[in-house]
Amino acid sequence: QKEVEQDPGPLSVPEGAIVSLNCTYSNSAFQYFMWYRQYSRKGPELLMYTYSSGNKEDGRFTAQVDKSSKYISLFIRDSQPSDSATYLCAMIAYSSASKIIFGSGTRLSIRP
Amino acid sequence: EAGVAQSPRYKIIEKRQSVAFWCNPISGHATLYWYQQILGQGPKLLIQFQNNGVVDDSQLPKDRFSAERLKGVDSTLKIQPAKLEDSAVYLCASSSRTGPDTQYFGPGTRLTVL
């Protein structure tokens, strides 16, 4: 079983829709939960991160963490064609400082 | 501030050949990482340097992969000999401190092994 599971998609939605991206994980030691965006032929860039459980909002993006269910989500409101990319969830265990464990990524396409 | 630089951007080689990738981190970043990203998968850490010392190389296939970071700045990752399954994007990242929001990634080198 992989430590982090993520539906690879692809996911295609019309412009303006609300997008929901999700990951599950098995390692209860994970404390930091991140979302990265990766455009084609580019490196990943950090969108946002949360520590432990709860919600965090940044503009059109909201990250949610439910540690009891080992489930994290990223919501994108008012989706734009420029949001078309692969979204990677990622996690760090408290004990491992900066070692990041990535999900496999979900390919998202926003149709104009 | 200039980002993480990598070269070459693309490389095609035959299996059993050797290949080397170069990374120049963001100025002042003491920590440097090499990741392997196979198509359809997330990046997997191969090796982490703190200055010119190795912090973690537990997932580096040491029989064929090697990496060095001379003088604690630039780094090279070498594969010798390459196998078909080494086809992937090799990403370099750097950071100035530990934490979830500190790694900056380069654009990667796309390796195809025929």
Side-chain angles (χ1 to χ4, degrees):
Chain A
Q1 182 188 10
K2 291 182 179 179
E3 282 189 285
V4 180
E5 299 275 3
Q6 185 173 8
D7 187 334
L11 180 62
S12 180
V13 302
E15 183 176 355
I18 295 175
V19 176
S20 172
L21 304 169
N22 311 293
C23 287
T24 59
Y25 63 96
S26 58
N27 188 348
S28 58
F30 287 137
Q31 294 285 338
Y32 292 94
F33 304 89
M34 296 91 77
W35 287 95
Y36 285 80
R37 179 174 61 196
Q38 186 172 25
Y39 290 115
S40 180
R41 306 197 187 284
K42 302 285 188 183
E45 58 175 333
L46 181 66
L47 273 177
M48 55 198 306
Y49 78 93
T50 54
Y51 173 70
S52 195
S53 285
N55 294 359
K56 186 173 184 178
E57 189 173 319
D58 184 0
R60 296 184 296 110
F61 298 89
T62 299
Q64 286 186 352
V65 175
D66 181 350
K67 291 193 73 179
S68 63
S69 302
K70 295 189 175 67
Y71 188 87
I72 70 170
S73 301
L74 178 71
F75 298 96
I76 307 174
R77 291 184 300 279
D78 188 24
S79 56
Q80 305 294 311
S82 59
D83 295 328
S84 297
T86 295
Y87 289 79
L88 299 155
C89 64
M91 306 176 190
I92 296 177
Y94 178 81
S95 62
S96 64
S98 57
K99 184 169 183 176
I100 302 175
I101 307 298
F102 285 89
S104 57
T106 300
R107 285 184 59 189
L108 173 65
S109 176
I110 309 298
R111 305 189 302 271
Chain B
E1 179 181 70
V4 176
Q6 292 188 245
S7 68
R9 291 297 313 277
Y10 306 92
K11 190 74 176 178
I12 301 174
I13 61 172
E14 302 269 335
K15 60 183 179 183
R16 292 187 288 274
Q17 284 187 323
S18 302
V19 65
F21 313 126
W22 174 82
C23 173
N24 180 238
I26 293 172
S27 178
H29 282 194
T31 309
L32 185 147
Y33 313 80
W34 282 103
Y35 289 85
Q36 180 192 58
Q37 186 174 21
I38 294 172
L39 185 65
Q41 298 182 21
K44 181 184 80 172
L45 180 68
L46 292 175
I47 189 167
Q48 176 184 344
F49 291 95
Q50 178 74 22
N51 295 308
N52 58 352
V54 175
V55 173
D56 183 351
D57 64 356
S58 57
Q59 297 190 96
L60 186 73
K62 298 180 186 65
D63 58 334
R64 298 183 300 105
F65 285 64
S66 64
E68 61 181 8
R69 191 182 184 198
L70 299 176
K71 301 180 181 178
V73 181
D74 293 5
S75 177
T76 56
L77 176 69
K78 297 179 182 178
I79 307 175
Q80 180 180 9
K83 292 185 176 181
L84 297 177
E85 59 261 36
D86 297 332
S87 294
V89 175
Y90 291 85
L91 294 161
C92 180
S94 70
S95 67
S96 58
R97 55 184 174 83
T98 59
D101 60 339
T102 62
Q103 292 190 32
Y104 294 86
F105 286 82
T109 296
R110 182 176 298 269
L111 173 67
T112 301
V113 182
L114 302 176

